[in-house]
């Protein structure tokens, strides 16, 4: 946004100087400058504290605009919650009275009383709302939703553009609030995986909209709230963690390769709780990068700019360390079409070919795109400018900090498959399986997940369902409960392909069973029997006892694949509640929904 004499308190010369300076500043420089100006302002007026007024009249209309702002978030892994809480702190620092709440904790009937509403929501799975947004989403889209003619709102939507229904939940909230009569404070912003900058721009726009509603023409720039007491390392400033151990958990002859990784957090100041995740910034396979460079005939040592801050790297290093090259998205195809004269690519993207685009994206990478739709008569800089930054990979933490101080353990399944005539490899999992040795380092950060936590009361029974690598967080749960001496019963359902080769952490579970830390364990090895048996089948076999545990107040945890396993387990739970509770299907669904509302049904699914 350009400053002008008309929209600022500066004269023409000052405006020209500021417009030349501001675009050159990095985010950290802007934050420092904002804090410096705020500090010098308060220092020049000793003893004065601006008391935020609850309400301010707008212009001469006599209408009173509230300075109260409600921020509701829907978050599966914690990103949306973190952004919502940060936005609340920043707006409070600007004199607003802010309430930040999970959608599941907000009473929908209070919506009619809200004047300023900010929605921060991620999209999960195939365009679905996160678990803690479901009840509010259903209320808002029901006949019971009230008219909201006095509401001003804005939506920040998080998603991943490699999915067909990119930011779908945010789009639906935005549309529905408008249908109910709400007015936008600021247009919806849809964020891809690298969400920091667009989220900051959205908040600045919202702040401007709030000020405009109150009749203030100019809005001072927002500064990020300093995170007092927080570690210096974060998603935007990862810690280089040394690899202590890297072990294959599967036995000889297994169809799978599951790596147990132990990393040192010594000196990082990073802390976590069971249920949190570790983010890893991986590197692309150098062999795939070399194939790409060979195809495009580019000089690997040519310097290219890799970000908005003007950082420069050799092209090969940039493709290994900075850019995503293994996933294709529709936005990427559309941008690539601008760089190519290939008529087949333009035809593919023409209206009516949505299913063909979806089919093309499946299982293909940047090398496929380059080979299929060349020639590419553009510079390396032009081409890489359309690529996304490599996103971090999140893994459920498999250890307790109490049991393993200064360490974090992970359980990572190596991803390998064939598609379109070439072997494909998971970026991070194969880095860990094939190229990572003890002594190497990985850039990591902690992703706190408040939606997947052990019960506050250590006497509460817990039921854990985690086939394959989904068992990772339950290893951290057991380590934590052993350390704290928790007395609550615990029951684990674990599944994999073969008992002999794929029973992950077998000796640890057996020790916890012997010591009473783990009360019960049921296993399902799908390839050891003529008929495939999965964890949900074991749950049905014990349906009576499982329902008794639910009636005693047990919390149920599910970790793993959402599309198949978690969906099947969810339906199995409803079936068990329906059968053993003597309820109708609808009542059983309400029972499970009520458990979710009480945070007694938690899922860490992907």
């Amino acid at each position: 946004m350009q400053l002008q004499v008309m929209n600022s308190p500066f004269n023409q010369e000052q405006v020209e100087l500021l417009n030349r300076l501001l675009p050159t500043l990095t985010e950290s420089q802007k934050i420092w400058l904002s804090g410096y100006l705020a500090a010098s302002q308060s220092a020049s007026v000793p003893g004065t504290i601006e008391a935020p007024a609850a309400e301010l009249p707008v212009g001469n209309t006599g209408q009173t605009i509230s300075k109260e702002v409600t921020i509701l978030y829907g978050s599966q892994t914690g990103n949306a919650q973190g952004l919502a809480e940060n936005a609340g702190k920043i707006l409070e620092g600007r004199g607003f009275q802010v309430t930040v709440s999970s959608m599941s904790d907000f009473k929908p009937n209070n919506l009619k009383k809200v004047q300023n509403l900010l929605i921060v929501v991620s999209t999960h799975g195939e365009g679905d709302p996160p678990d803690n947004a479901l009840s509010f989403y259903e209320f808002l889209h029901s006949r019971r939703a009230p008219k909201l003619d006095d509401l001003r709102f804005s939506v920040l939507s998080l998603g991943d553009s490699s999915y067909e229904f990119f930011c779908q939940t945010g789009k639906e909230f935005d549309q529905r609030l408008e249908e109910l009569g709400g007015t936008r404070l600021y247009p919806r912003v849809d964020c891809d995986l690298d969400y920091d900058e667009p989220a900051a721009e959205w908040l600045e726009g919202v702040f401007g909209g709030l000020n405009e509603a109150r009749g203030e023409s100019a809005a001072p720039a927002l500064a990020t709230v300093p995170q007092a007491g927080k570690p210096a390392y974060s998603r935007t400033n990862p810690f280089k963690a040394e690899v202590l151990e890297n072990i294959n958990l599967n036995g000889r002859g297994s169809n799978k390769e599951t790596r147990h990784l132990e990393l040192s957090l010594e000196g990082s100041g990073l802390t976590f709780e069971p249920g949190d995740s570790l983010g890893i910034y991986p590197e692309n396979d150098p062999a795939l990068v070399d194939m790409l460079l060979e195809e495009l005939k580019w000089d690997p040592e040519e310097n290219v700019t890799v970000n908005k801050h003007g950082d420069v790297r050799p092209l090969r290093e940039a493709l290994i360390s900075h850019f995503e090259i293994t996933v294709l998205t529709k936005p990427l195809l559309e941008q690539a079409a601008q760089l190519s004269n290939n008529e087949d690519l333009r035809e593919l993207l023409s209206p009516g070919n949505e299913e063909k685009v979806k089919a093309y994206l499946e299982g293909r990478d940047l090398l496929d795109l380059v080979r299929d739709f060349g020639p590419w008569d553009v510079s390396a800089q032009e081409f890489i400018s359309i690529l996304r930054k490599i996103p971090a990979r999140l893994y459920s933490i498999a250890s307790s900090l109490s049991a393993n101080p200064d360490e974090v353990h992970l359980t990572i399944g190596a991803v390998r498959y064939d598609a379109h005539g070439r072997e494909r490899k998971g970026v991070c999992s194969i880095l860990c399986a094939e190229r990572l040795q003890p002594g190497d380092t990985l850039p990591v950060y902690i992703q706190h997940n408040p939606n997947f936590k052990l019960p506050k009361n250590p006497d509460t029974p817990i039921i854990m369902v985690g086939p394959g690598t989904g068992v990772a967080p339950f290893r951290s749960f057991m380590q934590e409960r052993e350390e704290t001496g928790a007395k609550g019963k615990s029951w684990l359902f674990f599944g994999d392909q073969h008992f002999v080769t794929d029973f992950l952490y077998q000796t640890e579970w057996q020790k916890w069973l012997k010591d009473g830390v783990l009360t019960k364990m049921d296993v399902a090895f799908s390839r050891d029997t003529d008929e495939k048996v999965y964890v949900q089948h074991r749950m049905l076999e014990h349906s009576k006892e499982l329902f008794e545990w639910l009636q005693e107040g047990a919390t149920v945890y599910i970790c793993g694949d959402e599309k198949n396993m978690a969906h099947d387990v969810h339906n199995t739970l409803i079936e068990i509640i329906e059968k053993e509770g003597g309820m109708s299907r609808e009542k059983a669904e309400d029972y499970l929904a009520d458990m979710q509302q009480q945070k007694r049904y938690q899922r860490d699914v992907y």
Side-chain angles (χ1 to χ4, degrees):
M1 184 176 73
Q2 288 276 304
L3 285 174
Q4 297 172 8
V5 175
M6 297 295 290
N7 70 2
S8 75
F10 304 111
N11 62 37
Q12 186 63 43
E13 184 181 359
Q14 290 171 321
V15 162
E16 289 172 3
L17 285 169
L18 285 167
N19 281 333
R20 283 205 298 272
L21 172 67
L22 291 174
T24 70
L25 298 180
T26 65
E27 286 303 309
S28 58
Q29 286 171 331
K30 289 176 186 174
I31 291 164
W32 184 93
L33 185 60
S34 179
Y36 172 79
L37 292 174
S40 60
Q41 172 80 6
S42 16
S44 65
V45 190
T48 62
I49 299 175
E50 182 186 351
E55 296 178 337
L56 291 175
V58 177
N60 297 318
T61 63
Q63 182 188 1
T64 300
I65 295 296
S66 173
K67 288 199 77 174
E68 294 178 358
V69 178
T70 298
I71 305 179
L72 299 182
Y73 60 83
S75 182
Q76 195 74 32
T77 63
N79 285 333
Q81 179 170 350
L83 286 171
E85 289 171 347
N86 191 52
K89 289 173 186 171
I90 290 173
L91 290 175
E92 279 180 347
R94 291 291 179 184
F96 290 91
Q97 297 174 356
V98 186
T99 301
V100 181
S101 170
S102 161
M103 292 181 183
S104 60
D105 293 336
F106 180 76
K107 292 182 178 175
N109 291 335
N110 288 339
L111 192 58
K112 190 77 175 167
K113 304 171 189 175
V114 175
Q115 284 191 21
N116 299 311
L117 175 67
L118 305 182
I119 295 280
V120 185
V121 67
S122 61
T123 294
H124 199 57
E126 299 298 310
D128 300 320
D131 288 352
N132 65 359
L134 275 170
S135 55
F136 183 70
Y137 176 90
E138 288 167 0
F139 170 82
L140 207 65
H141 287 79
S142 73
R143 291 178 176 273
R144 293 166 52 220
K147 292 297 289 179
L148 300 171
D149 295 331
D150 297 328
L151 181 76
R152 286 174 299 280
F153 72 91
S154 187
V155 176
L156 180 67
S157 186
L158 306 186
D160 178 347
S161 61
S162 65
Y163 285 84
E164 182 181 2
F165 301 102
F166 174 57
C167 287
Q168 184 69 23
T169 302
K171 291 173 183 176
E172 290 173 357
F173 270 121
D174 186 58
Q175 181 182 344
R176 183 58 174 160
L177 289 169
E178 182 184 43
E179 289 170 357
L180 293 171
T183 305
R184 288 182 186 82
L185 278 164
Y186 189 73
R188 185 189 77 247
V189 170
D190 297 332
C191 301
D192 207 347
L193 297 173
D194 194 18
Y195 55 73
D196 296 282
E197 286 187 10
E201 288 169 11
W202 170 78
L203 186 55
E204 192 156 348
V206 163
F207 184 51
L210 289 165
N211 277 291
E212 191 177 326
R214 303 203 323 270
E216 297 180 9
S217 57
L222 286 165
T224 301
V225 170
Q227 303 290 307
K230 292 282 182 78
Y233 296 103
S234 64
R235 200 177 78 88
T236 52
N237 182 33
F239 173 70
K240 296 271 183 76
E242 182 183 349
V243 179
L244 302 173
E245 292 280 359
N246 187 353
I247 303 164
N248 183 6
L249 292 175
N250 297 97
R252 186 176 298 170
S254 174
N255 297 322
K256 296 185 170 187
E257 182 179 356
T258 309
R259 308 304 298 193
H260 171 77
L261 218 60
E262 298 185 3
L263 305 173
S264 172
L265 296 180
E266 190 172 2
S268 68
L270 293 172
T271 61
F272 60 87
E273 296 177 353
D276 289 341
S277 297
L278 190 79
I280 298 177
Y281 284 105
E283 291 188 343
N284 288 312
D285 185 348
L288 179 60
V289 169
D290 290 339
M291 289 167 72
L292 194 57
L293 288 169
E294 174 63 28
E295 191 71 32
L296 288 160
K297 309 298 181 195
W298 285 337
D299 177 5
E301 297 306 312
E302 177 187 345
N303 280 336
V304 290
T305 304
V306 297
N307 56 31
K308 291 179 182 177
H309 304 310
D311 294 332
V312 172
R313 298 284 184 276
L315 177 59
R316 185 174 186 272
E317 181 189 329
L319 288 170
I320 288 174
S321 304
H322 287 270
F323 295 109
E324 182 175 68
I325 62 172
T326 58
V327 174
L328 295 182
T329 67
K330 188 176 180 184
L332 176 62
L333 288 191
E334 290 167 344
Q335 291 179 78
Q338 304 301 312
L339 302 180
S340 169
N341 295 320
N342 190 294
E343 286 303 319
D344 291 339
L345 180 53
R346 296 183 193 280
E347 171 61 25
L348 177 65
L349 291 166
S350 60
N353 281 346
E354 288 76 17
E355 286 304 312
K356 288 182 180 178
V357 169
K358 187 179 173 184
Y360 181 78
L361 295 175
E362 184 69 32
R364 287 187 170 89
D365 61 18
L366 192 63
L367 182 58
D368 294 304
L369 175 67
V370 164
R371 287 176 171 172
D372 293 344
F373 299 114
W376 303 89
D377 299 322
V378 293
S379 69
Q381 184 66 63
E382 284 178 282
F383 192 85
I384 66 166
S385 68
I386 69 173
L387 303 180
R388 290 198 304 188
K389 182 180 170 185
I390 293 184
R393 269 55 174 182
L394 287 178
Y395 293 99
S396 303
I397 292 173
S399 59
S400 155
L401 199 57
S402 310
N404 304 275
D406 286 334
E407 288 183 17
V408 61
H409 301 175
L410 301 175
T411 313
I412 300 176
V415 176
R416 299 181 181 92
Y417 60 96
D418 288 316
H420 311 291
R422 255 197 313 126
E423 185 187 12
R424 314 287 164 150
K425 298 179 177 183
V427 177
C428 193
S429 68
I430 300 306
L431 164 66
C432 295
E434 296 181 0
R435 306 196 301 279
L436 198 67
Q437 303 296 327
D440 292 344
T441 61
L442 279 176
V444 304
Y445 65 93
I446 300 296
Q447 174 76 47
H448 297 290
N449 186 358
N451 306 310
F452 200 76
K453 283 286 169 281
L454 279 167
K456 288 193 172 82
N457 182 351
D459 294 335
T460 302
I462 60 173
I463 299 169
M464 304 164 284
V465 185
T469 57
V471 82
F474 305 133
R475 182 176 183 264
S476 78
F477 280 17
M478 289 297 95
Q479 286 188 357
E480 184 77 6
R481 281 198 149 195
E482 184 176 37
E483 286 294 311
T484 59
K487 301 300 181 190
K489 296 188 297 184
S490 55
W491 189 351
L492 174 66
F493 289 91
F494 171 74
D496 216 313
Q497 291 189 353
H498 298 284
F499 172 85
V500 174
T501 58
D502 306 320
F503 198 161
L504 306 183
Y505 303 115
Q506 178 183 358
T507 56
E508 294 184 29
W509 304 121
Q510 288 173 333
K511 180 180 181 299
W512 281 321
L513 278 168
K514 182 184 172 189
D515 296 345
V517 178
L518 181 62
T519 312
K520 282 177 67 71
M521 183 173 189
D522 284 282
V523 295
F525 293 99
S526 59
R527 305 300 194 274
D528 284 347
T529 51
D530 293 336
E531 193 173 334
K532 289 181 181 177
V533 178
Y534 297 111
V535 284
Q536 63 268 24
H537 300 128
R538 295 291 184 234
M539 293 168 68
L540 281 170
E541 287 171 9
H542 298 278
S543 64
K544 185 173 186 297
E545 187 178 2
L546 199 150
F547 184 68
E548 286 171 0
W549 280 48
L550 296 185
Q551 290 290 83
E552 291 170 16
T555 299
V556 177
Y557 300 90
I558 300 173
C559 182
D561 162 55
E562 179 184 40
K563 198 169 185 180
N564 299 305
M565 182 278 297
H567 181 263
D568 292 340
V569 169
H570 180 85
N571 287 333
T572 298
L573 279 169
I574 293 171
E575 191 178 331
I576 288 170
I577 294 163
E578 182 180 4
K579 174 189 167 189
E580 302 298 342
M583 304 178 198
S584 66
R585 180 79 179 185
E586 187 179 0
K587 290 284 186 189
E589 288 171 351
D590 289 344
Y591 185 103
L592 196 56
D594 189 52
M595 281 182 59
Q596 200 159 31
Q597 192 74 23
Q598 296 174 42
K599 299 181 172 55
R600 287 182 49 221
Y601 177 42
Q602 301 182 26
R603 308 192 312 158
D604 179 10
V605 293
Y606 36 85

